[in-house]
Structure formats: C-alpha cells, structure tokens
Amino acid sequence: MSSPAERYAAARRRAEESSGFPALDDFALDLGFDLDDFQREACEALERGSGVLVCAPTGAGKTVVGEFAVHLALSTPGLRRKCFYTTPIKALSNQKYHDLVERYGAERVGLLTGDNAINGDAPVVVMTTEVLRNMLYAGSSTLEGLAYVVMDEVHYLADRFRGAVWEEVIIHLPASVTLVSLSATVSNAEEFADWLVTVRGETAVVVSEHRPVPLWQHMLVGRRMFDLFHDADAARKHDVHPELLRYSREQLRRLEMTDGYTPGRGGRGGRRWRGPLRADIVERLDREGLLPAILFIFSRAGCDAAVQQCLHAGLRLTTPDERAEIRRVAEARMAAIPGGDLQVLGYWEWLDGLERGLAAHHAGLLPAFKEVVEELFVRGLVKAVFATETLALGINMPARCVVLERLVKFNGEAHVDLTPGEYTQLTGRAGRRGIDVEGHAVVVWAPEVDPRHVAGLASTRTYPLKSSFRPSYNMAANLVGTVGAAPARELLESSFAQFQADRSVVGLARQVQRNAETIEAYGNEVRCHQGDFDEYFALRVAIADRERALARQGSSQRRAEAIRSLERLRVGDVVRVPSGRRSGLAVVLDPGVGGFGEPRPLVLTQDRWAGRVTPADFTAPAEVLARVRVPKHFNHRSPAARRDLAAQVTATGLDRNAGRRSRSKGGNGEDHELALLRVELRQHPCHACPEREEHARWAERRHRLRRDNEQLREKVAGRTGSLARTFDNVCDLLTSRGYLTPAGEVTDAGRMLARIWTEADLLVAECLRRGVWDGLPAADLAAAVSVVLYEARREGDERASVPRGQISDAVDATIKIWAELEADEASRGLDLTREPDLGFVWPVYRWARGEDLAKVLASGHNLDGEMPAGDFVRWARQVVDLLGQIAEAASSSSQLRETARAAMGAVNRGVLAYNAVS
C-alpha cells in the first residue's frame, strides 16, 4: 500500500502529464471513473494524431478508447468531422448505438446495419464492418469528412468466413482517416501492429494483460469445489492444487473399480460417466453467491434441455418483484409479434423459465428472445444463462461466474478440444467491472478431464491472430474498377495475409541462403586430384537409384506372386510360412479369398496357433507341400481340436525349416543397365583415389543438403506472391466470362458483379445475366434465390425436394450454372463457389406465400424435428438482403426488380418484421 505522500505525488505527476491532452481531460470528466494506464496511453496516442491498436482482455474497458475517438470527432468546433464505429455483428451495433445515443443524443448518432438505417448522415455512425466495406467500394458521399474509424473486435479478421472484410477496410480507408483497432489479447500483437504501420502509417501499440477484476479458477468434482491453483505463484508455474489432484485421482480410481464403467465416452456394455446435475450446479452457485452465471454448453439442444431440467427440479432464483419486472419487459418486447407465432415459438415455456431466472442463449433462438435474455441478464434479473460459445463473441453480457460443462466442442465438422484462446475468451466473461470484487471460472470435472490440462488452458498466452484473407470475385471487380488491374495486384500484396506469408518466407529464405553456403563449403572437401569427383559421385547415385528401383520392382513381383499362390489354396493344404512369428508348417482351415481385398487364409500352425496370415508373411509364393483331412465342422477355438490337427501336420514328416534358401539378388542374371554403370564406375579415375570414401562422405552430405534446399525453395516459391497468383486466376476467370476485358477493364457485367455482396457473388451474377429468375412470382423468386445462400449445419445424404414447376426449373438451371463454374474454377486451382443447398426452399416459399409459422418451421429439410426459429429468421433475412440487391442490380429487368421488391415485402412479415432498435 502506498503512503498518502506517494499517492499525492503520483496524482501530481498524472496531472502534469495530462496537461498536454485537453481533449482527454474533457472526456475523462464525464466518465465517472479513473482511466486505467492502458486506456490513458491509447487515448493520448489518439490525441497526438497517431492510429492505435489496443489489445486487452474481455471486460478490461477497451471500448473507452473507441468512445474517445467519437469524442475527438465531435469536439472540434467549426470542423465537421465524422467517426464511424464498426462492429462485427448487428446485435453489438445495436447495443453500441444505444450507448452512444444515451451519451451524445439521437441527433448526433446514426446506425447502419443490414436491417436498420437510422440517421446515416450523422457525425457519428455505428455500423457493421461489411457496411463500411461496401461504402468504400461504392465511393459513398457519406465518407466525406470521415476522420476516425473504430474497428471493435478487430481480431475477427481471423474468421474464415468474414475475416477478409476487416482487411479490405483497413487497406482501402483513405490515408487521412485515423484507425482505432480494438482487439482481444493476442500473442502476435506486435506483428499485427507492424503490418498496420505498413498500410496505415504511424500506429501505437497498447497491450494490457491485466484484468480489472481478478479471475479465480475452480474445478467442480462431483459435489466438491476446488481451487485450480493454490495461489498466484502456483498459477504462474501451472502447479495444480495438490488436494484437487488427489481427489480427482481418487474419483477416477473408484470409477475404474466400479463394474461396468467404461472410460471415455462410454462403450458397448459400459456405463457412461454422469456428472453433477445442471440444477445442482446452479443451486451450488446460488449458495456460494456466484450468480449471475453463464453456463457454457456447446450444444443448442443441451442449452434448452438444461433449462427444462432446472424447471423440472423446481428451481426458482427470483423474487416476486423481479418476476413482475421480467414479465413486463418480455411482454413489452414481444407485443409486435402475433400471438399465434408466439405459441409456435414456445413463448410461454420460455417466459416461465425467465420468471424463474433461467434462460438459454444460442443461435437457434428467435433474435427477439435473445435480446430480452441479454437485457434481463445485464440487469441482474435473469440469474443463470445456458449458452453456446456464440455468446462470447462481443455481446456485452458480463457475469460473476462462468461455468464450462465440457472442454470439447463440435466445430461443424468434428469434436475438437477448446484452444487456450477460446478458453480465455469464454472465461473472460466472469467478473463485472464496478460490481464484482472478483470473477470466477468453474470447469466441471469428468474422467477424461485432467486438471493439469485445465491449468495449461488457463495459463497459456499463445493465441496468435492469423489472417483468413483471400480474393473473391466481387473484390476483384471492385479493385480493378477502382484502381486498375496492376495496382489492385499490389494492394493485395499489402494484405495482412501476404505480410504473414512473407514473414514466414523470410526465415525460409535465410535457411536457403545458409544451406547454399554450406553446400559450397562441402564442395571444397569433395575435390579430388585424380579427376572430377562430382561425375564419379553421380555414377554412385545412379547405381544406388537403379538398385532401389530393381528392389521395388522385385518386391512388387514377389508380392503379386504370393497373392496369386494364396488365392489357389484349398482347405487341408499344408504350406510353409517362410517368415514372421508364425513361420513353419501350417494347414489351411479357410482360404479367405471372399470379398474384394487380398486373400487372408485362416491357418493352424504346427505350434497349434490358429489365425489369419497375409501376403506380407510370404516372401515367396506359397507352395502346397502336402494335404491333410480337416474335419467338416472343425472348431479352431477348441484346444483339443487344434492339438489333434497339429499332430496330423507333424505326421506328414515335412521339415518345418526346409527351403529357407537365400534368394539370388540377380534373379535370372544382373540387370544390363546396372552392369554398365558398375563398369563405368570402376573405370573412372577417382575410383583409384586413396581418399575416395572420405570424398564420398562429403559428397553424400552435399547431395542430401541440395535435395533439402530444393524443397525449401519450392516452399518459398509457393508462399511468395500466393495471393497475387490467386487474384490473377480470379481475374482470368472473370475475363473468360466477360466481367473484365482482356485489357483489364471492368465491363457492365463486372460493374453489376461489384454490387453483389454475397459468398456466391459470381453465381448470382450469372443467374441474373442468363435470366434464370425472370418471370418467377414473388414467393417462387424468394425460394429460388435461397439456394445460393443457405448452408445446412450438417450435410445430408439426400437432395431436398422443391416445389414443382417454375421453382424446380430455376433451381435446376442454377445448379447447372454452378457445375460449369466449378469446372472453370477447378481448371484454375480455385475453390470459391459453394454448391447450392436446397434445404431452405420449402420454408421460405411457404412463408412468402403467407402460411403460418408452425407449417413453415416443420418444412425444413434434413432436420431432427422443426427448423429452429433463430435459423429461420437469420436465413430469411439473408434472402431479403439478396432480394434487395437484385432489385437494385443494373442487369435486372424491370419486371424482376418489381418482383424482388414484392418478395421482400412477402418475406419481411411477422417475426421477421421485429425491429431490435427501439
């Protein structure tokens, strides 16, 4: 603890330092709390005119730096300067919009997302990152006066689906714009900052690993809660609490001694481990004073089931006053949704859970439901939320405690372990600044969870930011149209992806150079006074290569002969197994030639072993030496039967070891090419050199190093300019299809493509150019365009059905165009356009025709039960967005534009018409 004099001196020092930053002093007056050191450092850099990259843990207060950029834009009298505040998701944009309106007033703050456009010309506009990217490519007049851009959650550029958007914005922003990048803690912040300096100019890096609210790590083993670490020193050393280790090992031993227990995920006949009940966990947290809590369960169904389990257990976490407020908020927010739809969505069961302080939060929930859960949780009315990991992505929902039920999640393809970065992001929710003295993270123990592994996750600080940038058709059309083909290629090479690839190339290139120097040094040792030793060594290499080729050829011939001989065997044949542990005489019990694989005869050896042998056990063809009678129903598992039949084999009098003659390497005479090489070698002057073998050793080392160096050179060539090569291939395909001219200029079709913002951009453009969607009624159009957007969560074996008639024809034409595109891409080494997915055709068709929500959700393809309401709303909104682009597309006919607008109205009703911003 510092003395009063020391605290006074520190305050004086801070006052002197801040005197040079009047805007920051003015901003800090209204905050109501003192700025942390990292916040002050970043804000001072901003006021000096520098860009800034801030990396700090979740909940540390990074957004204060972004809000200071807003303050700077608004606090310059006489100058109309703007600040754009970008976020990765609409929910976060809505949240930040409300925060800024509360501080600066609705007339000075706007919002632009795919769903909302409010006061877009305001000096401060909150938007999703894609909206800003589209503005930059379109040269929007809204960009005039732009002075600051805040990129919240900039680590999203690692996202493999959307990450490229962040890099596009960073590269294309005018040089006059100051960039404020806010990121979670990453281990390569300096590398990212180095790249920012190359593309944006001066950028200050501010990294803080300090959590304003300390985080305590625990494990719940059965009914007992343990600290993961004894103290802070043990945490730094990754030393698990000894009592936790002892107790978890004891539990494991008890389980292994229990009859029927199978380790891992349970097996046939085994009993699967059952952890503590979820209701018991919540009750335990309530008793310990650790609510509100987020309990992460990496399954949507698991989250819903957890709420039901708590309800069935009679859990109630709220007071009567809290229940009344929860009902008031929920009813007010759901007022715009028709009663029939609410019944289908399970509104009453959901409300029952809310009133008890319990809720689920995942992507399958209706967005309106999720927003109510978020609001009530932040207000402390909902006490326990069961969530998937999507809740960790930026939404401001801090808790006192976070619980991880498992350390494995399904990533869409396989069950994978949580990474240290994911663990940190999830547990980072624990500890509410200004409310909690400390946060708590609890991992639920299971037999497959080693506390030492948890300690490693909790202590590791290695989660690098890796670029996911790659050129797309829309990007190519925009870049070429904006700056021209050659400058566009150079711009791509300034991406973070190429920066990272080039950095890795630097290390490889240095190794290549070092190897080249070593190769030259070895060359001095190889020189021979008798003649050209390089020539002599080349002969030795040629002989060795030829010998290996002959050996491979001989081996494959011998194997083929062995297979043919085994295929001819019959029951009762006595053969000699020449090698392996089962070598000796054996009688064939079953030829084992059924099926499509190699023969694997079942045999009984002279030593009474019964089992199958393979061609690998025969170095020469199997030869039938004798025959014995095998009983018709011979049981090779019977010791007595094996003993009697083995005795018959011995009675044949054959020698078990006979015939083990060494094969002549030459076969039917030495290979002619090999013989010539050997003669040439013996006649070479260097063959007589007394130091021949010493020279040969150095030559062998040089030979191996040359081979390794060649592989390194190939790696370097593969990584250098890799993005530019992809861009060239994309442009070549666009040129072949008429979107670019051979001279590298954008055609009318290319300009249309440049305004299509979807993953299947080129497929949409081709469908528009060929009139695939012309003449379709509104509902049919909505259904037909859904196939280029929708992607099922899990792949199915069968193709979804579609309504007959015009929709079916349009879908077939779309798939045919995709097949042509895929062939074009494959010939150029590209893989950019995903196969159309028909799984959303029926739901959006029925919805656009005005059918009720129950029928619509029941018509999803390849789903266990109904389509989740959240999924339906998300995909339907994407359909509306694409229909809006079609309505504005230059190549759309007037009739198609009109139909697209009608389809938007038909889809945008009921639960889709709900507006989160109120």
Side-chain angles (χ1 to χ4, degrees), residues 625-667:
L625 305 173
R627 283 188 58 78
V628 297
R629 187 181 156 283
V630 178
K632 190 170 183 183
H633 299 291
F634 179 78
N635 180 8
H636 67 274
R637 291 188 175 87
S638 164
R642 289 203 304 270
R643 181 192 63 219
D644 293 345
L645 190 57
Q648 286 188 56
V649 174
T650 303
T652 60
L654 294 167
D655 181 358
R656 65 182 294 158
N657 296 318
R660 286 193 178 182
R661 300 185 303 273
S662 60
R663 295 186 305 274
S664 164
K665 284 190 178 180

Side-chain angles (χ1 to χ4, degrees), residues 316 318-332 351 354-356 376 379 381:
R316 190 182 292 278
T318 52
T319 65
D321 287 347
E322 287 174 330
R323 287 195 288 279
E325 178 61 10
I326 287 168
R327 179 176 281 268
R328 188 195 67 76
V329 170
E331 288 178 349
L351 184 59
L354 282 183
E355 289 185 342
R356 291 169 181 244
L376 295 176
R379 291 178 58 184
L381 296 170

Side-chain angles (χ1 to χ4, degrees), residues 94 97 101 106 109-113 115-122 124-126 915 917-918:
N94 296 339
Y97 169 73
V101 164
V109 182
L111 175 69
L112 294 174
T113 66
D115 303 330
N116 294 293
I118 302 170
N119 199 15
D121 292 323
V124 176
V125 185
V126 183
N915 190 334
V917 180
S918 53

Side-chain angles (χ1 to χ4, degrees), residues 315-363:
L315 210 56
R316 190 182 292 278
L317 306 171
T318 52
T319 65
D321 287 347
E322 287 174 330
R323 287 195 288 279
E325 178 61 10
I326 287 168
R327 179 176 281 268
R328 188 195 67 76
V329 170
E331 288 178 349
R333 296 293 288 273
M334 298 300 125
I337 298 177
D341 289 353
L342 289 177
Q343 188 73 36
V344 173
L345 295 165
Y347 169 75
W348 299 108
E349 295 87 344
W350 172 73
L351 184 59
D352 184 29
L354 282 183
E355 289 185 342
R356 291 169 181 244
L358 301 159
H361 188 289
H362 55 73

